[in-house]
Amino acid sequence: MTHLGDLLSALLDGELDSGARRRTEAHLAGCESCRLELARVESARGALRRLPMLETPPGLIPGVRRGRRFLSPARVSAIAAMAALVAALVIGPGAPGTAFQLDDLGDQHDARVVGDPGIATFRGDRP
Amino acid sequence: MGEDPTPSWEEVARHHGRKIYNFAYRLTGNPDDARDLVQDVLLRVRRGLESYTPQSFDGWLWRITRNAFLDEVRRRKRRPSVPLPDDDRGLGESSPAPEDVLASIRLGEDVQRALLQIPFEFREAVVLCDIVGLAYEEIAEAVGIPIGTVRSRIHRGRAMLRELLS
């Protein structure tokens, strides 16, 4: 009897009708060589099917923007804190109606700004 | 299932774009080529949908994808060849660290390298079957060959891969 050959792959892929499947399985039961070949193609098939499905690069598919990040609450508060610091440095402490809480770095920077005669002149301060 | 209504271009892109990308990536091993192919295929699908009549959608889509791929391969053959980045691989290279070997197996780099070594018609058949997940009949329609040829290409392709991987 001839060996199964490509019927083995068709068996693995569910591409045989019930009659052909029964005949193929009956042959396999008594044929060591076909069982070995089945194991071989099955391992290659498994290796291919286990390959990871890759993501498409961002922007390639319309309406699917992978990699797009929305701002997390932690990031929003970090940006707000940075904005407050910048505002504090630009407006300066002691401006009417403002109260800023500066961290050490802000205080240090402000001390430099206040102590700088050039900036003091620009701001209209009298030394 | 009855006849599929004609999908919109955006639906095709969303539902099939990733598979088209993976098809091209596995055939070429190159992310830039895969990206170009997806763009080209989506363009052709957009034009082709105007005259599409409901039939086997997968057969239609993968025939377009395959033709776009082959056109691109032909175009490149006419251009001066650019050396592939891995041409000089292995020159004075020490053996990779064990964790790199494990990562490479996990990512299937060994399988990808083996795929690129088998002739195109077998590579295409196993990729359409095992990566894209098409039935034999859909592959026959996409490639334009009899179903018996599909079966033998898939089987021989797998046997070649197994040889290379052992």
Side-chain angles (χ1 to χ4, degrees):
Chain A
M1 189 179 173
T2 52
H3 290 297
L4 295 169
D6 58 21
L7 287 172
L8 293 167
S9 277
L11 178 72
L12 291 172
D13 294 329
E15 292 275 352
L16 295 179
D17 62 32
S18 55
R21 199 175 61 234
R22 265 199 309 277
R23 284 192 299 279
T24 304
E25 284 166 353
H27 176 98
L28 269 176
C31 181
E32 172 78 32
S33 146
C34 281
R35 280 201 301 273
L36 209 69
E37 191 179 344
L38 180 71
R40 278 203 289 264
V41 289
E42 192 168 20
S43 92
R45 180 181 184 269
L48 286 168
R49 288 176 181 236
R50 279 192 304 275
L51 283 174
M53 192 70 169
L54 306 167
E55 293 281 348
T56 47
L60 185 57
I61 309 295
V64 180
R65 270 168 274 185
R66 288 183 208 286
R68 179 176 178 175
R69 289 202 193 91
F70 291 95
L71 294 179
S72 67
R75 223 173 141 72
V76 169
S77 35
I79 291 169
M82 189 62 79
L85 179 61
V86 169
L89 295 177
V90 170
I91 299 167
T98 58
F100 294 105
Q101 292 215 320
L102 298 181
D103 60 20
D104 282 353
L105 190 66
D107 286 343
Q108 286 167 26
H109 183 81
D110 217 61
R112 274 204 309 279
V113 170
V114 171
D116 184 315
I119 293 177
T121 310
F122 173 73
R123 294 193 338 175
D125 293 349
R126 291 282 148 252
Chain B
M1 261 171 46
E3 287 182 340
D4 298 338
T6 304
S8 75
W9 176 72
E10 287 83 359
E11 281 166 352
V12 176
R14 269 201 303 277
H15 294 151
H16 301 276
R18 193 170 169 200
K19 278 196 173 177
I20 297 169
Y21 180 77
N22 277 264
F23 165 82
Y25 183 87
R26 294 305 176 193
L27 284 185
T28 61
N30 181 323
D32 293 332
D33 290 347
R35 192 193 161 88
D36 290 350
L37 183 92
V38 175
Q39 279 170 339
D40 187 14
V41 169
L42 291 180
L43 207 70
R44 292 182 191 214
V45 165
R46 189 171 215 166
R47 285 196 301 256
L49 277 175
E50 288 163 21
S51 56
Y52 172 80
T53 48
Q55 46 176 308
S56 157
F57 181 77
D58 278 325
W60 178 80
L61 175 68
W62 290 98
R63 196 164 55 244
I64 289 183
T65 303
R66 179 179 185 270
N67 289 342
F69 181 84
L70 292 181
D71 285 351
E72 184 59 30
V73 170
R74 274 181 223 116
R75 254 201 304 278
R76 294 201 174 195
K77 270 189 186 156
R78 270 184 258 123
R79 287 188 214 143
S81 69
V82 179
L84 291 169
D86 50 358
D87 273 1
D88 53 1
R89 191 185 294 183
L91 292 177
E93 202 179 33
S94 58
S95 42
E99 59 268 27
D100 292 342
V101 173
L102 284 178
S104 153
I105 290 170
R106 200 173 54 245
L107 292 170
E109 285 168 17
D110 51 341
V111 181
Q112 179 65 55
R113 268 196 297 275
L115 255 181
L116 294 177
Q117 288 176 55
I118 68 174
F120 176 76
E121 64 262 39
F122 301 102
R123 196 187 327 154
E124 174 185 58
V126 296
V127 166
L128 286 173
C129 180
D130 293 323
I131 309 288
V132 178
L134 296 187
Y136 286 11
E137 199 177 331
E138 291 165 335
I139 298 173
E141 198 180 332
V143 180
I145 52 175
I147 203 159
T149 310
V150 172
R151 192 167 80 185
S152 96
R153 283 187 188 176
I154 289 172
H155 188 71
R156 287 189 58 198
R158 286 173 181 165
M160 288 176 203
L161 274 181
R162 178 64 178 75
E163 275 310 300
L164 290 164
L165 289 170
S166 59

